[in-house]
Amino acid sequence: MSTITAKDADDSKHHCAACGVSDYGGGNLKACTACNLVKYCNRTCQVAHRPAHKKACKKHLAELFDEKLFKQPSPNEDCPICYLRLPIDEDQFIYQSCCGKMLCDGCVCANTAAAADTERFKCVFCRTEASSSDEESIERLKKRVEANDAWAMATLGGFYQLGMKGLRQDHAKALELYHKSAKLGNHHAHFNLSVCYETGSIIEKDTRKATFHRQLAAMAGNVHARYNLGCDEGMAGNIDRAYKHWMISANDGYDLSMKSVQEGYKESGFVTKDDYAKTTRAYGNSIDEMKSDDRDRAAAVFRT
């Protein structure tokens, strides 16, 4: 039985996959734009070879996508005041429409408690006075939107969706802002779009688009989207893929995912001892990186 050597594989890169013409003599072969696995000398050869190549092309594309999908995303940026990693729960940090910074609740509450009366309600980062009305708050957001601020777009989109801050409810405007923010890579906008398409709340239901935005949100670091992907895969019977998602989001400190991984190890046996140990360490490290006394005090204030 013949085997394909490294030289054979290298030579295949220099021949048209359909007719065998070589580019060694100066010919100009172009790679398949989808998978980059094979090359063709012209469009006619590409069309003729498509039936033979289609299956391998789709398989390679799926493999490339999975590499991106199951890659551990970068952790949240640090709060610019305390230099600790921002929490993964979006109700534990605040977007500042004056300067576009994300500040953890701990720093905001600590400033409110310790600052003089004249400084108490200024932005902790840029020292701008807090908005005195909903109208002023919206105007600041719109200026940030004009500056191409993805978080401002997602935030303003939420206000339009729910009819908050004195805005008339406008689902079309909300979707427009979510899509603009998502194109800039904002995971919160992708997650909101996934929910909108999943529920059909403000747009026609579309499961394919819901999954698409959920995947992009997860790849951008949204742990809620990642957990939901795990649930989707589990429901579809793809247990291995489900636990991959849950381990990734547990690594970032997400409680629900850590509980799923724990159950997978202790009860169902789907998680190996080594994977469980690695995930537990990563989960603990993430929790430690996001924890502070100021944040604990802020959480206690908001619970009351």
Coordinates of all heavy atoms in Angstrom, one line a residue, residues 111-185:
N111 N -15.6 55.2 46.5 CA -15.5 56.6 46.3 C -16.7 57.4 46.9 O -16.5 58.4 47.5 CB -15.4 56.9 44.8 CG -15.4 58.4 44.5 OD1 -14.4 59.1 44.7 ND2 -16.5 58.9 43.9
T112 N -17.9 56.8 46.6 CA -19.1 57.4 47.2 C -19.0 57.6 48.7 O -19.5 58.6 49.3 CB -20.3 56.6 46.7 OG1 -20.4 56.6 45.3 CG2 -21.6 57.3 47.2
A113 N -18.5 56.5 49.3 CA -18.4 56.5 50.8 C -17.4 57.4 51.4 O -17.5 58.0 52.4 CB -18.2 55.1 51.3
A114 N -16.2 57.6 50.7 CA -15.1 58.3 51.2 C -14.9 59.7 50.7 O -14.3 60.5 51.4 CB -13.8 57.5 50.9
A115 N -15.5 60.0 49.6 CA -15.2 61.3 49.0 C -16.0 62.4 49.7 O -17.0 62.2 50.3 CB -15.5 61.3 47.5
A116 N -15.5 63.6 49.6 CA -16.2 64.8 50.1 C -17.5 65.0 49.3 O -17.7 64.5 48.2 CB -15.4 66.1 49.9
D117 N -18.5 65.7 49.9 CA -19.8 65.8 49.3 C -19.7 66.4 47.8 O -20.5 66.0 47.0 CB -20.7 66.8 50.1 CG -21.1 66.1 51.4 OD1 -21.0 64.9 51.5 OD2 -21.6 66.8 52.3
T118 N -18.8 67.3 47.6 CA -18.7 67.9 46.2 C -18.0 67.0 45.2 O -18.1 67.2 44.0 CB -17.8 69.2 46.3 OG1 -16.5 68.8 46.9 CG2 -18.5 70.2 47.1
E119 N -17.4 65.9 45.7 CA -16.7 64.9 44.8 C -17.4 63.6 44.7 O -17.1 62.8 43.9 CB -15.3 64.7 45.3 CG -14.4 65.9 45.4 CD -14.1 66.5 44.0 OE1 -13.7 65.7 43.1 OE2 -14.2 67.7 43.8
R120 N -18.4 63.4 45.6 CA -19.0 62.1 45.8 C -19.6 61.5 44.5 O -19.5 60.3 44.2 CB -20.0 62.1 46.9 CG -20.6 60.8 47.2 CD -21.4 60.9 48.5 NE -20.6 61.3 49.7 CZ -21.0 61.6 50.8 NH1 -22.3 61.7 51.1 NH2 -20.2 61.9 51.8
F121 N -20.2 62.3 43.7 CA -21.0 61.8 42.5 C -20.3 62.1 41.2 O -20.9 62.1 40.2 CB -22.4 62.3 42.5 CG -23.2 61.8 43.8 CD1 -23.5 62.7 44.8 CD2 -23.5 60.5 43.9 CE1 -24.2 62.3 45.9 CE2 -24.2 60.1 45.1 CZ -24.5 61.0 46.0
K122 N -19.0 62.4 41.3 CA -18.2 62.5 40.1 C -17.7 61.2 39.6 O -17.5 60.3 40.4 CB -17.0 63.5 40.3 CG -17.4 64.9 40.5 CD -16.2 65.8 40.7 CE -16.5 67.3 40.8 NZ -15.3 68.1 40.9
C123 N -17.4 61.1 38.3 CA -16.8 59.8 37.8 C -15.5 59.6 38.5 O -14.6 60.5 38.6 CB -16.6 60.0 36.3 SG -15.6 58.6 35.5
V124 N -15.3 58.4 39.0 CA -14.1 58.1 39.7 C -12.8 58.2 38.8 O -11.7 58.4 39.3 CB -14.1 56.7 40.3 CG1 -13.0 56.4 41.3 CG2 -15.5 56.5 41.0
F125 N -13.0 58.0 37.5 CA -11.9 58.0 36.6 C -11.6 59.4 36.0 O -10.4 59.9 36.2 CB -12.1 57.0 35.4 CG -11.0 56.9 34.5 CD1 -9.9 56.1 34.8 CD2 -10.9 57.6 33.3 CE1 -8.8 56.0 33.9 CE2 -9.8 57.5 32.4 CZ -8.8 56.7 32.8
C126 N -12.5 60.0 35.4 CA -12.3 61.3 34.7 C -12.7 62.5 35.5 O -12.5 63.7 35.1 CB -12.9 61.3 33.3 SG -14.7 61.4 33.3
R127 N -13.4 62.3 36.7 CA -13.9 63.3 37.6 C -15.0 64.2 36.9 O -15.2 65.3 37.4 CB -12.7 64.2 38.1 CG -11.5 63.5 38.6 CD -11.9 62.4 39.6 NE -12.6 62.9 40.8 CZ -13.2 62.2 41.7 NH1 -13.3 60.9 41.5 NH2 -13.8 62.7 42.8
T128 N -15.6 63.7 35.9 CA -16.8 64.5 35.4 C -18.0 64.4 36.3 O -18.2 63.3 36.8 CB -17.1 63.9 34.0 OG1 -16.0 64.1 33.1 CG2 -18.3 64.7 33.3
E129 N -18.7 65.4 36.4 CA -19.9 65.4 37.2 C -20.9 64.4 36.6 O -21.0 64.2 35.4 CB -20.6 66.8 37.2 CG -19.9 67.8 38.0 CD -20.0 67.7 39.6 OE1 -20.9 66.8 40.0 OE2 -19.4 68.4 40.3
A130 N -21.6 63.7 37.5 CA -22.6 62.7 37.1 C -23.8 63.5 36.3 O -24.0 64.6 36.6 CB -23.2 62.0 38.3
S131 N -24.4 62.7 35.4 CA -25.5 63.3 34.7 C -26.6 63.8 35.6 O -26.9 63.1 36.6 CB -26.1 62.3 33.7 OG -25.1 61.9 32.8
S132 N -27.2 65.0 35.3 CA -28.2 65.5 36.2 C -29.6 65.1 35.8 O -30.6 65.4 36.5 CB -28.1 67.0 36.3 OG -28.2 67.6 35.0
S133 N -29.7 64.5 34.6 CA -31.0 64.1 34.1 C -30.9 62.9 33.1 O -29.8 62.6 32.6 CB -31.7 65.2 33.4 OG -31.0 65.6 32.2
D134 N -32.0 62.3 32.8 CA -32.0 61.2 31.8 C -31.5 61.8 30.4 O -30.8 61.1 29.7 CB -33.3 60.6 31.6 CG -33.7 59.6 32.8 OD1 -32.7 59.3 33.6 OD2 -34.8 59.3 33.0
E135 N -32.0 63.0 30.1 CA -31.7 63.6 28.8 C -30.2 63.8 28.7 O -29.6 63.5 27.6 CB -32.4 65.0 28.7 CG -33.9 64.9 28.5 CD -34.6 64.6 29.8 OE1 -34.0 64.6 30.9 OE2 -35.9 64.5 29.8
E136 N -29.5 64.2 29.8 CA -28.1 64.5 29.7 C -27.3 63.1 29.6 O -26.4 63.0 28.8 CB -27.6 65.2 31.0 CG -26.1 65.5 30.9 CD -25.7 66.3 32.2 OE1 -26.5 66.6 33.1 OE2 -24.4 66.6 32.2
S137 N -27.8 62.1 30.3 CA -27.2 60.8 30.2 C -27.3 60.2 28.8 O -26.3 59.7 28.3 CB -27.9 59.8 31.2 OG -27.4 58.5 31.1
I138 N -28.5 60.4 28.1 CA -28.6 59.9 26.8 C -27.7 60.7 25.8 O -27.1 60.1 24.9 CB -30.1 60.0 26.4 CG1 -31.0 59.0 27.2 CG2 -30.3 59.7 24.9 CD1 -30.6 57.6 27.0
E139 N -27.6 62.0 26.0 CA -26.8 62.8 25.1 C -25.3 62.3 25.2 O -24.6 62.3 24.2 CB -26.9 64.3 25.5 CG -28.2 64.9 24.9 CD -28.4 64.7 23.4 OE1 -27.4 65.0 22.7 OE2 -29.4 64.3 23.0
R140 N -24.9 62.0 26.4 CA -23.5 61.6 26.6 C -23.3 60.2 25.9 O -22.3 60.0 25.2 CB -23.2 61.4 28.1 CG -23.0 62.7 28.8 CD -22.6 62.5 30.2 NE -22.4 63.7 31.0 CZ -22.0 63.8 32.2 NH1 -21.8 62.7 32.9 NH2 -21.8 65.0 32.8
L141 N -24.3 59.4 26.0 CA -24.2 58.1 25.3 C -24.1 58.2 23.8 O -23.4 57.6 23.1 CB -25.4 57.2 25.7 CG -25.3 56.3 26.9 CD1 -26.6 55.5 27.1 CD2 -24.1 55.3 26.7
K142 N -25.0 59.1 23.3 CA -25.0 59.4 21.8 C -23.6 59.9 21.3 O -23.2 59.6 20.2 CB -26.1 60.3 21.5 CG -27.5 59.7 21.6 CD -28.6 60.6 21.2 CE -30.0 60.0 21.2 NZ -31.1 60.9 20.9
K143 N -23.0 60.7 22.1 CA -21.7 61.2 21.8 C -20.7 60.1 21.7 O -19.8 60.0 20.9 CB -21.2 62.3 22.7 CG -22.0 63.6 22.6 CD -21.4 64.7 23.5 CE -22.1 66.0 23.3 NZ -21.6 67.1 24.3
R144 N -20.8 59.2 22.7 CA -19.9 58.0 22.7 C -20.2 57.1 21.5 O -19.3 56.5 21.0 CB -20.1 57.2 24.0 CG -19.6 58.0 25.3 CD -18.2 58.4 25.3 NE -17.3 57.2 25.0 CZ -16.0 57.4 24.7 NH1 -15.4 58.6 24.8 NH2 -15.2 56.3 24.5
V145 N -21.4 57.0 21.1 CA -21.8 56.2 19.9 C -21.2 56.8 18.7 O -20.6 56.1 17.8 CB -23.3 56.1 19.8 CG1 -23.7 55.5 18.4 CG2 -23.9 55.3 20.9
E146 N -21.2 58.1 18.6 CA -20.6 58.8 17.5 C -19.1 58.6 17.4 O -18.4 58.6 16.4 CB -20.9 60.3 17.5 CG -22.4 60.7 17.3 CD -22.7 62.1 17.5 OE1 -21.7 62.9 17.9 OE2 -23.8 62.5 17.4
A147 N -18.5 58.4 18.6 CA -17.1 58.1 18.7 C -16.7 56.6 18.5 O -15.6 56.2 18.7 CB -16.5 58.5 20.1
N148 N -17.7 55.8 18.0 CA -17.6 54.4 17.7 C -17.3 53.6 18.9 O -16.5 52.6 18.9 CB -16.4 54.2 16.7 CG -16.9 53.4 15.5 OD1 -18.1 53.3 15.2 ND2 -15.9 52.7 14.9
D149 N -17.9 53.9 20.0 CA -17.8 53.2 21.3 C -18.8 52.0 21.3 O -20.0 52.2 21.4 CB -18.0 54.1 22.5 CG -17.8 53.5 23.8 OD1 -18.0 52.3 23.9 OD2 -17.3 54.2 24.7
A150 N -18.3 50.8 21.2 CA -19.2 49.6 21.1 C -20.0 49.4 22.4 O -21.2 49.0 22.3 CB -18.3 48.4 20.9
W151 N -19.5 49.7 23.6 CA -20.3 49.5 24.8 C -21.4 50.6 24.8 O -22.5 50.3 25.3 CB -19.4 49.6 26.0 CG -18.9 48.3 26.4 CD1 -17.6 47.8 26.3 CD2 -19.6 47.2 27.1 NE1 -17.5 46.5 26.8 CE2 -18.7 46.2 27.3 CE3 -20.9 47.1 27.5 CZ2 -19.1 45.0 27.9 CZ3 -21.3 45.9 28.1 CH2 -20.4 44.9 28.3
A152 N -21.1 51.8 24.4 CA -22.1 52.8 24.3 C -23.3 52.4 23.4 O -24.5 52.6 23.7 CB -21.5 54.1 23.9
M153 N -22.9 51.8 22.3 CA -24.0 51.3 21.3 C -24.8 50.2 22.0 O -26.1 50.3 21.9 CB -23.3 50.7 20.1 CG -22.5 51.8 19.3 SD -21.6 50.9 17.9 CE -20.7 52.3 17.3
A154 N -24.2 49.3 22.6 CA -24.9 48.2 23.3 C -25.8 48.7 24.4 O -26.9 48.3 24.6 CB -24.0 47.1 23.8
T155 N -25.3 49.7 25.2 CA -26.0 50.2 26.3 C -27.2 51.0 25.8 O -28.4 50.9 26.3 CB -25.1 51.2 27.1 OG1 -24.0 50.4 27.6 CG2 -25.9 51.7 28.3
L156 N -27.0 51.9 24.8 CA -28.1 52.7 24.2 C -29.1 51.8 23.6 O -30.3 52.0 23.7 CB -27.5 53.7 23.3 CG -28.5 54.7 22.7 CD1 -29.2 55.5 23.8 CD2 -27.8 55.7 21.7
G157 N -28.7 50.7 22.9 CA -29.6 49.8 22.3 C -30.5 49.1 23.4 O -31.7 49.0 23.1
G158 N -29.9 48.8 24.5 CA -30.8 48.3 25.6 C -31.8 49.3 26.1 O -33.0 48.9 26.4
F159 N -31.5 50.5 26.2 CA -32.4 51.6 26.6 C -33.6 51.7 25.6 O -34.7 51.8 25.9 CB -31.7 52.9 26.8 CG -30.8 53.0 27.9 CD1 -29.8 53.9 28.0 CD2 -30.9 52.1 29.0 CE1 -28.9 54.0 29.1 CE2 -30.1 52.1 30.1 CZ -29.1 53.1 30.1
Y160 N -33.2 51.6 24.3 CA -34.3 51.7 23.2 C -35.1 50.4 23.3 O -36.4 50.5 23.1 CB -33.6 51.8 21.8 CG -33.4 53.2 21.4 CD1 -32.1 53.7 21.3 CD2 -34.4 54.1 21.2 CE1 -31.8 55.0 20.9 CE2 -34.2 55.4 20.8 CZ -32.8 55.9 20.6 OH -32.6 57.2 20.3
Q161 N -34.5 49.3 23.5 CA -35.3 48.0 23.5 C -36.3 48.0 24.7 O -37.5 47.6 24.5 CB -34.4 46.8 23.7 CG -35.1 45.5 23.8 CD -34.2 44.3 24.0 OE1 -33.0 44.4 23.9 NE2 -34.8 43.1 24.1
L162 N -36.0 48.6 25.8 CA -36.8 48.5 27.0 C -37.6 49.8 27.2 O -38.5 49.9 28.1 CB -36.0 48.2 28.2 CG -35.2 46.9 28.2 CD1 -34.3 46.8 29.4 CD2 -36.2 45.7 28.1
G163 N -37.3 50.9 26.4 CA -37.9 52.2 26.6 C -37.5 52.8 27.9 O -38.4 53.3 28.7
M164 N -36.2 52.9 28.2 CA -35.7 53.4 29.4 C -35.1 54.8 29.2 O -34.9 55.2 28.1 CB -34.7 52.5 30.1 CG -35.2 51.1 30.5 SD -33.9 50.0 31.0 CE -33.2 50.9 32.4
K165 N -34.8 55.5 30.3 CA -34.1 56.8 30.3 C -34.9 57.8 29.5 O -34.3 58.7 28.9 CB -32.7 56.6 29.8 CG -31.8 55.8 30.6 CD -31.4 56.5 31.9 CE -30.4 55.7 32.7 NZ -29.9 56.4 33.9
G166 N -36.2 57.7 29.5 CA -37.0 58.7 28.8 C -37.1 58.4 27.3 O -37.8 59.2 26.6
L167 N -36.6 57.4 26.8 CA -36.6 57.1 25.4 C -37.9 56.3 25.0 O -38.4 55.5 25.8 CB -35.4 56.2 24.9 CG -34.0 56.9 25.0 CD1 -33.0 55.9 24.6 CD2 -34.0 58.1 24.0
R168 N -38.4 56.6 23.9 CA -39.6 55.8 23.4 C -39.1 54.4 22.9 O -38.0 54.3 22.3 CB -40.2 56.5 22.2 CG -41.4 55.8 21.6 CD -42.1 56.6 20.5 NE -41.1 56.9 19.4 CZ -40.8 56.1 18.4 NH1 -41.4 54.9 18.4 NH2 -39.9 56.4 17.5
Q169 N -39.8 53.4 23.3 CA -39.4 52.0 22.9 C -39.3 51.9 21.4 O -40.2 52.3 20.7 CB -40.4 51.0 23.4 CG -39.9 49.6 23.5 CD -40.8 48.6 24.2 OE1 -42.0 48.7 24.0 NE2 -40.3 47.8 25.1
D170 N -38.1 51.5 20.9 CA -37.9 51.4 19.5 C -37.0 50.2 19.2 O -35.8 50.2 19.3 CB -37.2 52.7 19.0 CG -37.1 52.8 17.5 OD1 -37.1 51.8 16.8 OD2 -36.9 54.0 17.0
H171 N -37.7 49.1 18.8 CA -37.0 47.8 18.6 C -36.1 47.9 17.4 O -35.0 47.3 17.4 CB -38.0 46.7 18.4 CG -38.7 46.4 19.7 ND1 -39.9 45.6 19.8 CD2 -38.5 46.8 21.0 CE1 -40.3 45.5 21.0 NE2 -39.5 46.2 21.8
A172 N -36.5 48.6 16.4 CA -35.6 48.7 15.2 C -34.3 49.4 15.5 O -33.2 49.0 15.0 CB -36.4 49.4 14.1
K173 N -34.4 50.5 16.3 CA -33.2 51.2 16.7 C -32.4 50.4 17.6 O -31.1 50.4 17.5 CB -33.6 52.5 17.4 CG -32.5 53.5 17.7 CD -31.9 54.0 16.4 CE -30.8 55.0 16.7 NZ -30.1 55.5 15.4
A174 N -33.0 49.6 18.5 CA -32.2 48.8 19.4 C -31.4 47.7 18.6 O -30.2 47.5 18.8 CB -33.2 48.1 20.3
L175 N -32.1 47.1 17.6 CA -31.4 46.1 16.8 C -30.3 46.7 16.0 O -29.2 46.1 15.8 CB -32.4 45.4 15.9 CG -33.3 44.4 16.6 CD1 -34.5 44.0 15.6 CD2 -32.6 43.2 17.1
E176 N -30.5 47.9 15.5 CA -29.5 48.6 14.7 C -28.2 48.8 15.5 O -27.1 48.6 15.1 CB -30.0 49.9 14.2 CG -29.0 50.8 13.4 CD -29.5 52.2 13.1 OE1 -30.7 52.4 13.2 OE2 -28.6 53.0 12.8
L177 N -28.4 49.3 16.8 CA -27.3 49.6 17.7 C -26.6 48.3 18.1 O -25.4 48.2 18.2 CB -27.8 50.4 18.9 CG -28.1 51.8 18.6 CD1 -29.0 52.4 19.7 CD2 -26.9 52.6 18.4
Y178 N -27.4 47.2 18.4 CA -26.8 46.0 18.7 C -25.9 45.4 17.6 O -24.8 44.9 17.9 CB -27.9 44.9 19.0 CG -28.6 45.1 20.4 CD1 -29.9 44.6 20.5 CD2 -28.0 45.8 21.4 CE1 -30.6 44.7 21.7 CE2 -28.7 45.9 22.6 CZ -30.0 45.4 22.8 OH -30.6 45.6 24.0
H179 N -26.4 45.5 16.4 CA -25.6 45.0 15.3 C -24.4 45.8 15.0 O -23.3 45.2 14.7 CB -26.5 45.0 14.0 CG -27.4 43.8 13.9 ND1 -26.9 42.5 13.6 CD2 -28.7 43.7 13.9 CE1 -27.9 41.7 13.6 NE2 -29.0 42.4 13.8
K180 N -24.4 47.1 15.2 CA -23.2 48.0 15.0 C -22.2 47.6 16.1 O -21.0 47.5 15.8 CB -23.6 49.4 15.1 CG -24.3 50.0 13.9 CD -24.6 51.5 14.0 CE -25.2 52.1 12.8 NZ -25.4 53.5 12.9
S181 N -22.7 47.4 17.3 CA -21.8 47.1 18.4 C -21.2 45.7 18.2 O -20.0 45.5 18.5 CB -22.6 47.1 19.8 OG -21.8 46.8 20.8
A182 N -22.0 44.8 17.8 CA -21.5 43.4 17.5 C -20.4 43.4 16.5 O -19.5 42.6 16.6 CB -22.7 42.5 17.1
K183 N -20.6 44.2 15.4 CA -19.6 44.2 14.4 C -18.2 44.7 14.9 O -17.2 44.4 14.3 CB -20.1 45.2 13.2 CG -21.1 44.5 12.3 CD -21.5 45.4 11.2 CE -22.6 44.8 10.3 NZ -23.0 45.7 9.2
L184 N -18.3 45.5 16.0 CA -17.0 46.0 16.6 C -16.5 44.9 17.6 O -15.5 45.2 18.3 CB -17.3 47.3 17.3 CG -17.6 48.5 16.3 CD1 -18.0 49.7 17.1 CD2 -16.4 48.8 15.5
G185 N -17.2 43.8 17.8 CA -16.7 42.7 18.6 C -17.2 42.7 20.0 O -16.7 42.0 20.9

